[in-house]
Amino acid sequence: MVNFSQRLGKLSPYPFVEISRIIAEKRAAGVDVVTFGIGDPDIPTPQHIIDRLLTASEDPSNHRYPETDGLPEMRRAIAHWYRQRFDVDLDPDTEVLPLIGAKEGIGHAAFCFLDPGDIALVPDPAYPVYSVGTMFAGAESYVMPLYERNGWLPELDAIPNDVARQAKVMWLNYPNNPTSAVASQEDLESAMRYCREHDIALLHDAAYSEVGYEGYRAGSLLQIDGAKDVGLEFHSLSKTYNMTGWRMGMAVGNADMIKALFQIKANLDSGVPQAIQEMSIEALTGSQDCIDENVAKYTWRRDRVLQALTRMGLKVDVPRASLYIWAPVPEGFTSAEFAARLLEETDIVVTPGSSYGQYGEGYIRLSLTTPDERVETGCQRLENWVIPSPTLRT
Ligand SMILES: *Cc1c(COP(=O)(O)O)cnc(C)c1O
């Protein structure tokens, strides 16, 4: 018998692993499942980006170990993109670090700032990696509840002083997964002020910055004066360029924080495969047409799903950004019960809000990364479904 670590025992199943298992079972039984589950773009990576990968894969210099901090041209492409998109200047050699997807960097960032006994300020509901990384580092998450009444922004005044003193990092994520909320520059600025005052590293996950509707364009944390004092921003090529399968993200911001993350990573991984870096350079510096094309597709899906949910009698806010619809469940159901009922009775997969933390209870998340015709099929099923009475619960 081997003995496993305590930290392993503290992990709850990663939400999508369990859902993937149920979908696989149903599909194996011949059931036509429509999934609004995981946020994983169904649209292929644009051809010009793939072409660059094909060429790059032929180059023997790309067959060898990459550097942890990436190709210099990769770091320059990231800085270039930031300048074009946010009008922010970055030193490509000290303020930029490529990641094997944002998830990797977010998880490893915990090791840069947290020791046992330290506190991380973590929003709830949230992308699970912030609190899991905290736990892996032996530190504690202090939950910042996100409430609808606050536009899903944390109440910084509600954080007790002794917690603020022990806190080493604060995680934020806007446009937000799972709530699809957006933050104004003033919102980011007050978080920044709070973190500077308390010597807290402000870690902003901006994975959805390029998915905005009706012309909404998210800002960057680094546009705020003084942001580079305590700020680090995480981005991903996954959602922006339909590149979830290729694994490319980046961290940018404070040079000491970038160096710390580099040091952790240099001891754990060997960087992003260079052919993937080359395709990523093409993504960041080549045609940006796919961003608008994606948004046009997601807008149709968003509106179609909103229509179906409204016809079901649910009251749903119209998202201004992100790939998600965050819908309240009918009275009397927990989010897990409602998601289970949907799956049982309509073969539709949604994510229960409670998988993103206790404050996600009462909501379900629907992802728009499903082909249009599947969205249509799913919406028709939703519209024809008579919501069971919660008192008839099985
Ligand atoms: C999808 C997602 C990521 C992960 O991006 P990768 O680059 O694919 O690892 C990070 N943060 C949030 C909030 C996400 O939803």
Side-chain angles (χ1 to χ4, degrees), residues 39 100-104 106 127 130 173 177 205 207-208 235-239 244 247-249 324:
I100 312 171
K103 186 181 191 179
E104 176 266 305
I106 290 167
Y127 185 62
Y130 317 133
N173 163 223
N177 172 15
D205 178 356
Y208 296 95
H235 274 273
S236 169
L237 272 62
S238 289
K239 315 319 186 320
T244 46
R247 314 308 305 133
M248 179 71 199
Y324 308 111

mmCIF file with all atom_site columns, all heavy atoms in Angstrom, residues 39 100-104 106 127 130 173 177 205 207-208 235-239 244 247-249 324, ligand 1:
data_model
loop_
_atom_site.group_PDB
_atom_site.id
_atom_site.type_symbol
_atom_site.label_atom_id
_atom_site.label_alt_id
_atom_site.label_comp_id
_atom_site.label_asym_id
_atom_site.label_entity_id
_atom_site.label_seq_id
_atom_site.pdbx_PDB_ins_code
_atom_site.Cartn_x
_atom_site.Cartn_y
_atom_site.Cartn_z
_atom_site.occupancy
_atom_site.B_iso_or_equiv
_atom_site.pdbx_formal_charge
_atom_site.auth_seq_id
_atom_site.auth_comp_id
_atom_site.auth_asym_id
_atom_site.auth_atom_id
_atom_site.pdbx_PDB_model_num
ATOM   1   N N   . GLY A 1 39  ? -16.163 25.468 -21.186 1.00 0.00 ? 39  GLY A N   1
ATOM   2   C CA  . GLY A 1 39  ? -15.879 26.591 -22.086 1.00 0.00 ? 39  GLY A CA  1
ATOM   3   C C   . GLY A 1 39  ? -14.684 26.246 -22.952 1.00 0.00 ? 39  GLY A C   1
ATOM   4   O O   . GLY A 1 39  ? -13.547 26.471 -22.567 1.00 0.00 ? 39  GLY A O   1
ATOM   5   N N   . ILE A 1 100 ? 2.344   27.775 -20.373 1.00 0.00 ? 100 ILE A N   1
ATOM   6   C CA  . ILE A 1 100 ? 1.763   26.618 -21.070 1.00 0.00 ? 100 ILE A CA  1
ATOM   7   C C   . ILE A 1 100 ? 0.256   26.654 -20.833 1.00 0.00 ? 100 ILE A C   1
ATOM   8   O O   . ILE A 1 100 ? -0.342  25.781 -20.209 1.00 0.00 ? 100 ILE A O   1
ATOM   9   C CB  . ILE A 1 100 ? 2.400   25.304 -20.551 1.00 0.00 ? 100 ILE A CB  1
ATOM   10  C CG1 . ILE A 1 100 ? 3.930   25.438 -20.514 1.00 0.00 ? 100 ILE A CG1 1
ATOM   11  C CG2 . ILE A 1 100 ? 1.989   24.123 -21.441 1.00 0.00 ? 100 ILE A CG2 1
ATOM   12  C CD1 . ILE A 1 100 ? 4.632   24.290 -19.812 1.00 0.00 ? 100 ILE A CD1 1
ATOM   13  N N   . GLY A 1 101 ? -0.359  27.711 -21.289 1.00 0.00 ? 101 GLY A N   1
ATOM   14  C CA  . GLY A 1 101 ? -1.755  28.010 -20.964 1.00 0.00 ? 101 GLY A CA  1
ATOM   15  C C   . GLY A 1 101 ? -1.805  28.813 -19.679 1.00 0.00 ? 101 GLY A C   1
ATOM   16  O O   . GLY A 1 101 ? -0.948  28.680 -18.799 1.00 0.00 ? 101 GLY A O   1
ATOM   17  N N   . ALA A 1 102 ? -2.808  29.672 -19.583 1.00 0.00 ? 102 ALA A N   1
ATOM   18  C CA  . ALA A 1 102 ? -2.938  30.507 -18.383 1.00 0.00 ? 102 ALA A CA  1
ATOM   19  C C   . ALA A 1 102 ? -3.105  29.644 -17.137 1.00 0.00 ? 102 ALA A C   1
ATOM   20  O O   . ALA A 1 102 ? -2.585  29.979 -16.063 1.00 0.00 ? 102 ALA A O   1
ATOM   21  C CB  . ALA A 1 102 ? -4.129  31.454 -18.530 1.00 0.00 ? 102 ALA A CB  1
ATOM   22  N N   . LYS A 1 103 ? -3.789  28.528 -17.264 1.00 0.00 ? 103 LYS A N   1
ATOM   23  C CA  . LYS A 1 103 ? -4.052  27.666 -16.112 1.00 0.00 ? 103 LYS A CA  1
ATOM   24  C C   . LYS A 1 103 ? -2.747  27.247 -15.420 1.00 0.00 ? 103 LYS A C   1
ATOM   25  O O   . LYS A 1 103 ? -2.651  27.268 -14.194 1.00 0.00 ? 103 LYS A O   1
ATOM   26  C CB  . LYS A 1 103 ? -4.817  26.420 -16.569 1.00 0.00 ? 103 LYS A CB  1
ATOM   27  C CG  . LYS A 1 103 ? -5.283  25.507 -15.456 1.00 0.00 ? 103 LYS A CG  1
ATOM   28  C CD  . LYS A 1 103 ? -6.001  24.300 -16.076 1.00 0.00 ? 103 LYS A CD  1
ATOM   29  C CE  . LYS A 1 103 ? -6.727  23.472 -15.025 1.00 0.00 ? 103 LYS A CE  1
ATOM   30  N NZ  . LYS A 1 103 ? -7.421  22.322 -15.669 1.00 0.00 ? 103 LYS A NZ  1
ATOM   31  N N   . GLU A 1 104 ? -1.770  26.908 -16.225 1.00 0.00 ? 104 GLU A N   1
ATOM   32  C CA  . GLU A 1 104 ? -0.465  26.512 -15.683 1.00 0.00 ? 104 GLU A CA  1
ATOM   33  C C   . GLU A 1 104 ? 0.140   27.657 -14.854 1.00 0.00 ? 104 GLU A C   1
ATOM   34  O O   . GLU A 1 104 ? 0.577   27.458 -13.719 1.00 0.00 ? 104 GLU A O   1
ATOM   35  C CB  . GLU A 1 104 ? 0.459   26.109 -16.845 1.00 0.00 ? 104 GLU A CB  1
ATOM   36  C CG  . GLU A 1 104 ? 1.877   25.760 -16.466 1.00 0.00 ? 104 GLU A CG  1
ATOM   37  C CD  . GLU A 1 104 ? 2.821   26.942 -16.570 1.00 0.00 ? 104 GLU A CD  1
ATOM   38  O OE1 . GLU A 1 104 ? 2.917   27.582 -17.635 1.00 0.00 ? 104 GLU A OE1 1
ATOM   39  O OE2 . GLU A 1 104 ? 3.473   27.238 -15.552 1.00 0.00 ? 104 GLU A OE2 1
ATOM   40  N N   . ILE A 1 106 ? -1.336  30.270 -13.551 1.00 0.00 ? 106 ILE A N   1
ATOM   41  C CA  . ILE A 1 106 ? -2.183  30.613 -12.400 1.00 0.00 ? 106 ILE A CA  1
ATOM   42  C C   . ILE A 1 106 ? -1.919  29.631 -11.260 1.00 0.00 ? 106 ILE A C   1
ATOM   43  O O   . ILE A 1 106 ? -1.750  30.018 -10.107 1.00 0.00 ? 106 ILE A O   1
ATOM   44  C CB  . ILE A 1 106 ? -3.670  30.604 -12.829 1.00 0.00 ? 106 ILE A CB  1
ATOM   45  C CG1 . ILE A 1 106 ? -3.948  31.795 -13.754 1.00 0.00 ? 106 ILE A CG1 1
ATOM   46  C CG2 . ILE A 1 106 ? -4.596  30.620 -11.623 1.00 0.00 ? 106 ILE A CG2 1
ATOM   47  C CD1 . ILE A 1 106 ? -5.287  31.725 -14.492 1.00 0.00 ? 106 ILE A CD1 1
ATOM   48  N N   . TYR A 1 127 ? -13.272 30.451 -11.025 1.00 0.00 ? 127 TYR A N   1
ATOM   49  C CA  . TYR A 1 127 ? -12.428 29.442 -11.667 1.00 0.00 ? 127 TYR A CA  1
ATOM   50  C C   . TYR A 1 127 ? -11.671 28.724 -10.538 1.00 0.00 ? 127 TYR A C   1
ATOM   51  O O   . TYR A 1 127 ? -11.044 29.380 -9.703  1.00 0.00 ? 127 TYR A O   1
ATOM   52  C CB  . TYR A 1 127 ? -11.474 30.204 -12.591 1.00 0.00 ? 127 TYR A CB  1
ATOM   53  C CG  . TYR A 1 127 ? -10.571 29.383 -13.476 1.00 0.00 ? 127 TYR A CG  1
ATOM   54  C CD1 . TYR A 1 127 ? -11.093 28.523 -14.432 1.00 0.00 ? 127 TYR A CD1 1
ATOM   55  C CD2 . TYR A 1 127 ? -9.179  29.513 -13.377 1.00 0.00 ? 127 TYR A CD2 1
ATOM   56  C CE1 . TYR A 1 127 ? -10.245 27.804 -15.267 1.00 0.00 ? 127 TYR A CE1 1
ATOM   57  C CE2 . TYR A 1 127 ? -8.330  28.809 -14.213 1.00 0.00 ? 127 TYR A CE2 1
ATOM   58  C CZ  . TYR A 1 127 ? -8.878  27.946 -15.154 1.00 0.00 ? 127 TYR A CZ  1
ATOM   59  O OH  . TYR A 1 127 ? -8.045  27.251 -15.975 1.00 0.00 ? 127 TYR A OH  1
ATOM   60  N N   . TYR A 1 130 ? -7.567  29.095 -8.656  1.00 0.00 ? 130 TYR A N   1
ATOM   61  C CA  . TYR A 1 130 ? -7.009  30.046 -7.679  1.00 0.00 ? 130 TYR A CA  1
ATOM   62  C C   . TYR A 1 130 ? -6.936  29.410 -6.288  1.00 0.00 ? 130 TYR A C   1
ATOM   63  O O   . TYR A 1 130 ? -5.930  29.515 -5.597  1.00 0.00 ? 130 TYR A O   1
ATOM   64  C CB  . TYR A 1 130 ? -7.845  31.332 -7.588  1.00 0.00 ? 130 TYR A CB  1
ATOM   65  C CG  . TYR A 1 130 ? -8.305  31.899 -8.906  1.00 0.00 ? 130 TYR A CG  1
ATOM   66  C CD1 . TYR A 1 130 ? -9.629  32.297 -9.095  1.00 0.00 ? 130 TYR A CD1 1
ATOM   67  C CD2 . TYR A 1 130 ? -7.423  32.039 -9.969  1.00 0.00 ? 130 TYR A CD2 1
ATOM   68  C CE1 . TYR A 1 130 ? -10.068 32.816 -10.302 1.00 0.00 ? 130 TYR A CE1 1
ATOM   69  C CE2 . TYR A 1 130 ? -7.850  32.553 -11.174 1.00 0.00 ? 130 TYR A CE2 1
ATOM   70  C CZ  . TYR A 1 130 ? -9.179  32.932 -11.342 1.00 0.00 ? 130 TYR A CZ  1
ATOM   71  O OH  . TYR A 1 130 ? -9.620  33.437 -12.531 1.00 0.00 ? 130 TYR A OH  1
ATOM   72  N N   . ASN A 1 173 ? -10.803 38.218 -11.663 1.00 0.00 ? 173 ASN A N   1
ATOM   73  C CA  . ASN A 1 173 ? -10.998 37.690 -13.008 1.00 0.00 ? 173 ASN A CA  1
ATOM   74  C C   . ASN A 1 173 ? -12.170 38.413 -13.672 1.00 0.00 ? 173 ASN A C   1
ATOM   75  O O   . ASN A 1 173 ? -13.315 38.168 -13.336 1.00 0.00 ? 173 ASN A O   1
ATOM   76  C CB  . ASN A 1 173 ? -11.258 36.164 -12.905 1.00 0.00 ? 173 ASN A CB  1
ATOM   77  C CG  . ASN A 1 173 ? -11.877 35.557 -14.160 1.00 0.00 ? 173 ASN A CG  1
ATOM   78  O OD1 . ASN A 1 173 ? -12.795 34.737 -14.085 1.00 0.00 ? 173 ASN A OD1 1
ATOM   79  N ND2 . ASN A 1 173 ? -11.404 35.948 -15.315 1.00 0.00 ? 173 ASN A ND2 1
ATOM   80  N N   . ASN A 1 177 ? -15.504 34.516 -15.295 1.00 0.00 ? 177 ASN A N   1
ATOM   81  C CA  . ASN A 1 177 ? -16.017 33.160 -15.401 1.00 0.00 ? 177 ASN A CA  1
ATOM   82  C C   . ASN A 1 177 ? -16.284 32.725 -13.961 1.00 0.00 ? 177 ASN A C   1
ATOM   83  O O   . ASN A 1 177 ? -15.359 32.804 -13.158 1.00 0.00 ? 177 ASN A O   1
ATOM   84  C CB  . ASN A 1 177 ? -14.952 32.267 -16.057 1.00 0.00 ? 177 ASN A CB  1
ATOM   85  C CG  . ASN A 1 177 ? -15.311 30.803 -16.044 1.00 0.00 ? 177 ASN A CG  1
ATOM   86  O OD1 . ASN A 1 177 ? -16.451 30.439 -15.796 1.00 0.00 ? 177 ASN A OD1 1
ATOM   87  N ND2 . ASN A 1 177 ? -14.330 29.958 -16.299 1.00 0.00 ? 177 ASN A ND2 1
ATOM   88  N N   . ASP A 1 205 ? -6.778  37.685 -13.784 1.00 0.00 ? 205 ASP A N   1
ATOM   89  C CA  . ASP A 1 205 ? -6.940  36.708 -14.857 1.00 0.00 ? 205 ASP A CA  1
ATOM   90  C C   . ASP A 1 205 ? -7.854  37.316 -15.920 1.00 0.00 ? 205 ASP A C   1
ATOM   91  O O   . ASP A 1 205 ? -9.043  37.516 -15.689 1.00 0.00 ? 205 ASP A O   1
ATOM   92  C CB  . ASP A 1 205 ? -7.552  35.438 -14.249 1.00 0.00 ? 205 ASP A CB  1
ATOM   93  C CG  . ASP A 1 205 ? -7.823  34.350 -15.274 1.00 0.00 ? 205 ASP A CG  1
ATOM   94  O OD1 . ASP A 1 205 ? -7.610  34.582 -16.481 1.00 0.00 ? 205 ASP A OD1 1
ATOM   95  O OD2 . ASP A 1 205 ? -8.264  33.259 -14.851 1.00 0.00 ? 205 ASP A OD2 1
ATOM   96  N N   . ALA A 1 207 ? -8.479  36.142 -19.072 1.00 0.00 ? 207 ALA A N   1
ATOM   97  C CA  . ALA A 1 207 ? -8.613  35.159 -20.154 1.00 0.00 ? 207 ALA A CA  1
ATOM   98  C C   . ALA A 1 207 ? -9.716  35.508 -21.168 1.00 0.00 ? 207 ALA A C   1
ATOM   99  O O   . ALA A 1 207 ? -9.661  35.082 -22.313 1.00 0.00 ? 207 ALA A O   1
ATOM   100 C CB  . ALA A 1 207 ? -8.867  33.765 -19.576 1.00 0.00 ? 207 ALA A CB  1
ATOM   101 N N   . TYR A 1 208 ? -10.715 36.303 -20.730 1.00 0.00 ? 208 TYR A N   1
ATOM   102 C CA  . TYR A 1 208 ? -11.845 36.618 -21.620 1.00 0.00 ? 208 TYR A CA  1
ATOM   103 C C   . TYR A 1 208 ? -11.833 38.053 -22.129 1.00 0.00 ? 208 TYR A C   1
ATOM   104 O O   . TYR A 1 208 ? -12.861 38.563 -22.573 1.00 0.00 ? 208 TYR A O   1
ATOM   105 C CB  . TYR A 1 208 ? -13.175 36.324 -20.899 1.00 0.00 ? 208 TYR A CB  1
ATOM   106 C CG  . TYR A 1 208 ? -13.306 34.866 -20.595 1.00 0.00 ? 208 TYR A CG  1
ATOM   107 C CD1 . TYR A 1 208 ? -12.933 34.354 -19.363 1.00 0.00 ? 208 TYR A CD1 1
ATOM   108 C CD2 . TYR A 1 208 ? -13.731 33.975 -21.576 1.00 0.00 ? 208 TYR A CD2 1
ATOM   109 C CE1 . TYR A 1 208 ? -12.997 32.996 -19.095 1.00 0.00 ? 208 TYR A CE1 1
ATOM   110 C CE2 . TYR A 1 208 ? -13.802 32.620 -21.324 1.00 0.00 ? 208 TYR A CE2 1
ATOM   111 C CZ  . TYR A 1 208 ? -13.426 32.136 -20.088 1.00 0.00 ? 208 TYR A CZ  1
ATOM   112 O OH  . TYR A 1 208 ? -13.480 30.800 -19.836 1.00 0.00 ? 208 TYR A OH  1
ATOM   113 N N   . HIS A 1 235 ? -3.137  36.132 -19.312 1.00 0.00 ? 235 HIS A N   1
ATOM   114 C CA  . HIS A 1 235 ? -3.936  36.052 -20.531 1.00 0.00 ? 235 HIS A CA  1
ATOM   115 C C   . HIS A 1 235 ? -3.792  34.669 -21.113 1.00 0.00 ? 235 HIS A C   1
ATOM   116 O O   . HIS A 1 235 ? -2.881  33.920 -20.773 1.00 0.00 ? 235 HIS A O   1
ATOM   117 C CB  . HIS A 1 235 ? -3.435  37.053 -21.578 1.00 0.00 ? 235 HIS A CB  1
ATOM   118 C CG  . HIS A 1 235 ? -4.015  38.407 -21.435 1.00 0.00 ? 235 HIS A CG  1
ATOM   119 N ND1 . HIS A 1 235 ? -5.210  38.774 -22.006 1.00 0.00 ? 235 HIS A ND1 1
ATOM   120 C CD2 . HIS A 1 235 ? -3.565  39.473 -20.769 1.00 0.00 ? 235 HIS A CD2 1
ATOM   121 C CE1 . HIS A 1 235 ? -5.464  40.029 -21.700 1.00 0.00 ? 235 HIS A CE1 1
ATOM   122 N NE2 . HIS A 1 235 ? -4.485  40.479 -20.957 1.00 0.00 ? 235 HIS A NE2 1
ATOM   123 N N   . SER A 1 236 ? -4.668  34.395 -22.051 1.00 0.00 ? 236 SER A N   1
ATOM   124 C CA  . SER A 1 236 ? -4.646  33.088 -22.683 1.00 0.00 ? 236 SER A CA  1
ATOM   125 C C   . SER A 1 236 ? -4.965  33.253 -24.157 1.00 0.00 ? 236 SER A C   1
ATOM   126 O O   . SER A 1 236 ? -5.781  34.093 -24.531 1.00 0.00 ? 236 SER A O   1
ATOM   127 C CB  . SER A 1 236 ? -5.707  32.224 -22.025 1.00 0.00 ? 236 SER A CB  1
ATOM   128 O OG  . SER A 1 236 ? -5.879  31.048 -22.765 1.00 0.00 ? 236 SER A OG  1
ATOM   129 N N   . LEU A 1 237 ? -4.326  32.463 -25.005 1.00 0.00 ? 237 LEU A N   1
ATOM   130 C CA  . LEU A 1 237 ? -4.711  32.467 -26.413 1.00 0.00 ? 237 LEU A CA  1
ATOM   131 C C   . LEU A 1 237 ? -5.901  31.525 -26.658 1.00 0.00 ? 237 LEU A C   1
ATOM   132 O O   . LEU A 1 237 ? -6.463  31.497 -27.737 1.00 0.00 ? 237 LEU A O   1
ATOM   133 C CB  . LEU A 1 237 ? -3.527  32.066 -27.303 1.00 0.00 ? 237 LEU A CB  1
ATOM   134 C CG  . LEU A 1 237 ? -2.617  33.233 -27.727 1.00 0.00 ? 237 LEU A CG  1
ATOM   135 C CD1 . LEU A 1 237 ? -1.975  33.910 -26.533 1.00 0.00 ? 237 LEU A CD1 1
ATOM   136 C CD2 . LEU A 1 237 ? -1.549  32.794 -28.724 1.00 0.00 ? 237 LEU A CD2 1
ATOM   137 N N   . SER A 1 238 ? -6.266  30.779 -25.612 1.00 0.00 ? 238 SER A N   1
ATOM   138 C CA  . SER A 1 238 ? -7.279  29.728 -25.750 1.00 0.00 ? 238 SER A CA  1
ATOM   139 C C   . SER A 1 238 ? -8.609  30.238 -26.281 1.00 0.00 ? 238 SER A C   1
ATOM   140 O O   . SER A 1 238 ? -9.123  29.751 -27.283 1.00 0.00 ? 238 SER A O   1
ATOM   141 C CB  . SER A 1 238 ? -7.530  29.058 -24.400 1.00 0.00 ? 238 SER A CB  1
ATOM   142 O OG  . SER A 1 238 ? -6.433  28.265 -24.029 1.00 0.00 ? 238 SER A OG  1
ATOM   143 N N   . LYS A 1 239 ? -9.194  31.211 -25.586 1.00 0.00 ? 239 LYS A N   1
ATOM   144 C CA  . LYS A 1 239 ? -10.538 31.656 -25.932 1.00 0.00 ? 239 LYS A CA  1
ATOM   145 C C   . LYS A 1 239 ? -10.483 32.682 -27.058 1.00 0.00 ? 239 LYS A C   1
ATOM   146 O O   . LYS A 1 239 ? -11.361 32.756 -27.889 1.00 0.00 ? 239 LYS A O   1
ATOM   147 C CB  . LYS A 1 239 ? -11.261 32.257 -24.714 1.00 0.00 ? 239 LYS A CB  1
ATOM   148 C CG  . LYS A 1 239 ? -11.196 31.516 -23.355 1.00 0.00 ? 239 LYS A CG  1
ATOM   149 C CD  . LYS A 1 239 ? -11.313 30.080 -23.329 1.00 0.00 ? 239 LYS A CD  1
ATOM   150 C CE  . LYS A 1 239 ? -11.388 29.292 -22.029 1.00 0.00 ? 239 LYS A CE  1
ATOM   151 N NZ  . LYS A 1 239 ? -10.633 29.548 -20.869 1.00 0.00 ? 239 LYS A NZ  1
ATOM   152 N N   . THR A 1 244 ? -7.506  26.395 -27.430 1.00 0.00 ? 244 THR A N   1
ATOM   153 C CA  . THR A 1 244 ? -7.421  25.665 -26.152 1.00 0.00 ? 244 THR A CA  1
ATOM   154 C C   . THR A 1 244 ? -6.523  24.435 -26.254 1.00 0.00 ? 244 THR A C   1
ATOM   155 O O   . THR A 1 244 ? -5.847  24.084 -25.298 1.00 0.00 ? 244 THR A O   1
ATOM   156 C CB  . THR A 1 244 ? -8.812  25.205 -25.654 1.00 0.00 ? 244 THR A CB  1
ATOM   157 O OG1 . THR A 1 244 ? -9.512  24.616 -26.743 1.00 0.00 ? 244 THR A OG1 1
ATOM   158 C CG2 . THR A 1 244 ? -9.622  26.355 -25.112 1.00 0.00 ? 244 THR A CG2 1
ATOM   159 N N   . ARG A 1 247 ? -2.318  25.109 -25.965 1.00 0.00 ? 247 ARG A N   1
ATOM   160 C CA  . ARG A 1 247 ? -1.727  25.473 -24.673 1.00 0.00 ? 247 ARG A CA  1
ATOM   161 C C   . ARG A 1 247 ? -0.752  26.646 -24.760 1.00 0.00 ? 247 ARG A C   1
ATOM   162 O O   . ARG A 1 247 ? 0.469   26.460 -24.780 1.00 0.00 ? 247 ARG A O   1
ATOM   163 C CB  . ARG A 1 247 ? -1.039  24.265 -23.987 1.00 0.00 ? 247 ARG A CB  1
ATOM   164 C CG  . ARG A 1 247 ? -1.811  22.958 -23.966 1.00 0.00 ? 247 ARG A CG  1
ATOM   165 C CD  . ARG A 1 247 ? -3.219  23.104 -23.423 1.00 0.00 ? 247 ARG A CD  1
ATOM   166 N NE  . ARG A 1 247 ? -3.239  23.705 -22.109 1.00 0.00 ? 247 ARG A NE  1
ATOM   167 C CZ  . ARG A 1 247 ? -4.083  24.703 -21.790 1.00 0.00 ? 247 ARG A CZ  1
ATOM   168 N NH1 . ARG A 1 247 ? -4.946  25.190 -22.666 1.00 0.00 ? 247 ARG A NH1 1
ATOM   169 N NH2 . ARG A 1 247 ? -4.070  25.187 -20.593 1.00 0.00 ? 247 ARG A NH2 1
ATOM   170 N N   . MET A 1 248 ? -1.295  27.816 -24.806 1.00 0.00 ? 248 MET A N   1
ATOM   171 C CA  . MET A 1 248 ? -0.451  29.009 -24.806 1.00 0.00 ? 248 MET A CA  1
ATOM   172 C C   . MET A 1 248 ? -1.145  30.138 -24.048 1.00 0.00 ? 248 MET A C   1
ATOM   173 O O   . MET A 1 248 ? -2.296  30.475 -24.313 1.00 0.00 ? 248 MET A O   1
ATOM   174 C CB  . MET A 1 248 ? -0.172  29.439 -26.253 1.00 0.00 ? 248 MET A CB  1
ATOM   175 C CG  . MET A 1 248 ? 0.678   30.693 -26.361 1.00 0.00 ? 248 MET A CG  1
ATOM   176 S SD  . MET A 1 248 ? 2.408   30.396 -25.874 1.00 0.00 ? 248 MET A SD  1
ATOM   177 C CE  . MET A 1 248 ? 2.923   32.087 -25.566 1.00 0.00 ? 248 MET A CE  1
ATOM   178 N N   . GLY A 1 249 ? -0.424  30.678 -23.105 1.00 0.00 ? 249 GLY A N   1
ATOM   179 C CA  . GLY A 1 249 ? -0.921  31.833 -22.352 1.00 0.00 ? 249 GLY A CA  1
ATOM   180 C C   . GLY A 1 249 ? 0.256   32.709 -21.989 1.00 0.00 ? 249 GLY A C   1
ATOM   181 O O   . GLY A 1 249 ? 1.393   32.457 -22.401 1.00 0.00 ? 249 GLY A O   1
ATOM   182 N N   . TYR A 1 324 ? -20.182 32.851 -21.412 1.00 0.00 ? 324 TYR A N   1
ATOM   183 C CA  . TYR A 1 324 ? -21.117 32.179 -20.514 1.00 0.00 ? 324 TYR A CA  1
ATOM   184 C C   . TYR A 1 324 ? -22.390 32.949 -20.251 1.00 0.00 ? 324 TYR A C   1
ATOM   185 O O   . TYR A 1 324 ? -22.400 34.172 -20.226 1.00 0.00 ? 324 TYR A O   1
ATOM   186 C CB  . TYR A 1 324 ? -20.426 31.903 -19.168 1.00 0.00 ? 324 TYR A CB  1
ATOM   187 C CG  . TYR A 1 324 ? -19.122 31.194 -19.370 1.00 0.00 ? 324 TYR A CG  1
ATOM   188 C CD1 . TYR A 1 324 ? -17.913 31.835 -19.117 1.00 0.00 ? 324 TYR A CD1 1
ATOM   189 C CD2 . TYR A 1 324 ? -19.096 29.906 -19.894 1.00 0.00 ? 324 TYR A CD2 1
ATOM   190 C CE1 . TYR A 1 324 ? -16.711 31.193 -19.355 1.00 0.00 ? 324 TYR A CE1 1
ATOM   191 C CE2 . TYR A 1 324 ? -17.906 29.260 -20.138 1.00 0.00 ? 324 TYR A CE2 1
ATOM   192 C CZ  . TYR A 1 324 ? -16.708 29.907 -19.865 1.00 0.00 ? 324 TYR A CZ  1
ATOM   193 O OH  . TYR A 1 324 ? -15.526 29.272 -20.106 1.00 0.00 ? 324 TYR A OH  1
HETATM 194 C C1  . LIG B 2 .   ? -10.287 29.055 -19.691 1.00 0.00 ? 1   LIG B C1  1
HETATM 195 C C2  . LIG B 2 .   ? -9.782  29.820 -18.543 1.00 0.00 ? 1   LIG B C2  1
HETATM 196 C C3  . LIG B 2 .   ? -8.418  29.892 -18.273 1.00 0.00 ? 1   LIG B C3  1
HETATM 197 C C4  . LIG B 2 .   ? -7.433  28.905 -18.865 1.00 0.00 ? 1   LIG B C4  1
HETATM 198 O O1  . LIG B 2 .   ? -6.856  29.232 -19.996 1.00 0.00 ? 1   LIG B O1  1
HETATM 199 P P1  . LIG B 2 .   ? -5.759  28.289 -20.646 1.00 0.00 ? 1   LIG B P1  1
HETATM 200 O O2  . LIG B 2 .   ? -4.842  29.249 -21.262 1.00 0.00 ? 1   LIG B O2  1
HETATM 201 O O3  . LIG B 2 .   ? -6.475  27.421 -21.624 1.00 0.00 ? 1   LIG B O3  1
HETATM 202 O O4  . LIG B 2 .   ? -5.089  27.484 -19.564 1.00 0.00 ? 1   LIG B O4  1
HETATM 203 C C5  . LIG B 2 .   ? -7.975  30.741 -17.281 1.00 0.00 ? 1   LIG B C5  1
HETATM 204 N N1  . LIG B 2 .   ? -8.848  31.455 -16.546 1.00 0.00 ? 1   LIG B N1  1
HETATM 205 C C6  . LIG B 2 .   ? -10.161 31.386 -16.744 1.00 0.00 ? 1   LIG B C6  1
HETATM 206 C C7  . LIG B 2 .   ? -11.063 32.193 -15.904 1.00 0.00 ? 1   LIG B C7  1
HETATM 207 C C8  . LIG B 2 .   ? -10.671 30.544 -17.731 1.00 0.00 ? 1   LIG B C8  1
HETATM 208 O O5  . LIG B 2 .   ? -11.985 30.420 -17.872 1.00 0.00 ? 1   LIG B O5  1
#
